[in-house]
Amino acid sequence: MSRFTSFKRFFLRKRIYIPTILILALIGWSIFGNSGSANEQLVSVQSTTFVQEVGVTGKVIPSKDVDMAFEIGGRVSQVSVKVGSIVKEGQILASVSSGDQQAVVLQRQAKVDSEAAKLAEVQRGSRAEDIAIATTEVDGARVSYEQSLQTLVDQIKDAYAKVDDGVRGKADQLFKNPRTVNPEVLTFENYPLRMSVNDQRLKIGEILASWSKSIETLNSGTYTSSYLDEARTNLSAARNFFNDLSEGVSSLTASDSFPQTTIDKYKTDVSTARTAVSTAISTLSTVEQSYKSSQNAYAKAKDQLALKKAGSTIEQINSQFAILKSAQADLQSARALLAKTNITAPFNGLITKVDTKEGEIASVNANVIGLISASSYEIESYISESDIAKVRVGQAARVTLDAYGKDVVFLAKTVEVDPAETVLDGVSTYKTKLEFVEADERIRSGMTANIIIQTAEKPESVVIPQEALFLDAGEKMVTIDQGGKRINRKVETGGINAKGEIEVLSGISVGEKVVVKKK
């Protein structure tokens, strides 16, 4: 065989082997070269400023948002705004008719003017004519007082008469031996009630005996408040007695021993006695108030006369000044009530709702006008419980609004974090409010906000990709490449930032290379 033929055969065999060898070499390099694997990469550990952030979404809301209602009901007389109106703080938005309140204000103003004139008179001193007038006023006040006192005395005696008539003239027909120590009422089905009524009849008898003796000496000259206290106490006891007796009589059923006509008479008599006692209680209260009013008027008239006779003293001037201040307070109260007939804007803003119109009747506390702040907005967001521990009031945030895209950034800060959770779709979250740092006319209520809250910033921190971390027997580990030799090392970690990087507190040093698994 010639050398040419041998070379030719060798070359043909090499045409097959050489490409195969090259392909296998490339595959081997791709597997074992390039730091060990196509699914891994080596990352050099660096020191950098670690910024921990929390990303959430939220909604733009007005910083002030209020629904307003009339504090006094009435017919709506004016509605001066509509939806979209820009209003100023203090501007009247709507009103109800206020004629009665205006009249009260005028009356109170007249009272203030009168008391101011009296103060000036006291400061000036009294004239003989003034003393004569004051004496006449005292006489008139005394007559009114004496009449009201006599009326009160008569009413106390009348109250006794009504109780006595009700007990002895109407209730006793239902008892056996009513005026003995063992009164026994007709059989009631309710045994405890029957025993209670018997006890009350015995006690009411003792009350009437004591009361009768007490009022024997009662007249306008001997009256003291103890007589009134005694009357109130006794009337209360009588009312309870007749209430229980009425309950028992109502339970009676007709029988041979108790025909229906008898039962009806018992019911009528007991009802009459109850009504008389109730009327006596009400009348006594009214007469008492009239008596106290006339007593105060009489005392005031005497004080005024003494003031005029004695001349002006510092104490008297101060007293009249106090009366004037009281009248001024009443006037202020009337003006406040008048102001409640208007709905006024509590701040500058934009009207969002008007649910009333002129001529209709407005209900108290029914929201009819809505107002939001026109230029001041907040962001309301709900942060998960896993992130809320990182968030604090005062932290800075970057905000983008869907309406303007990711390139338009607004600055904000957290201003409020709710301490209690809000459950949304079964998940515990915490409502958080952020405030825009600067007002911007582009911001509108209801816009969707994307928020990045900067919760921490640590300079010269060791940071690695989160993918470099893995767990081994519950321990956090990373793989270190030392010139081709790999070792696993335990690390202690801190927070995670928005880039997915994790802070390493201990376990590795700057400059070392960690293996990062590619996903």
Side-chain angles (χ1 to χ4, degrees), residues 303-315:
D303 289 342
Q304 290 295 323
L305 176 59
L307 179 66
K308 293 182 182 300
K309 287 181 176 180
S312 300
T313 65
I314 295 298
E315 291 78 9

Side-chain angles (χ1 to χ4, degrees), residues 188-205:
F188 296 158
E189 292 182 3
N190 188 331
Y191 177 78
L193 178 62
R194 187 166 73 247
M195 293 297 99
S196 174
V197 168
N198 288 337
D199 289 341
Q200 289 182 70
R201 176 59 187 89
L202 178 61
K203 292 178 181 177
I204 206 73

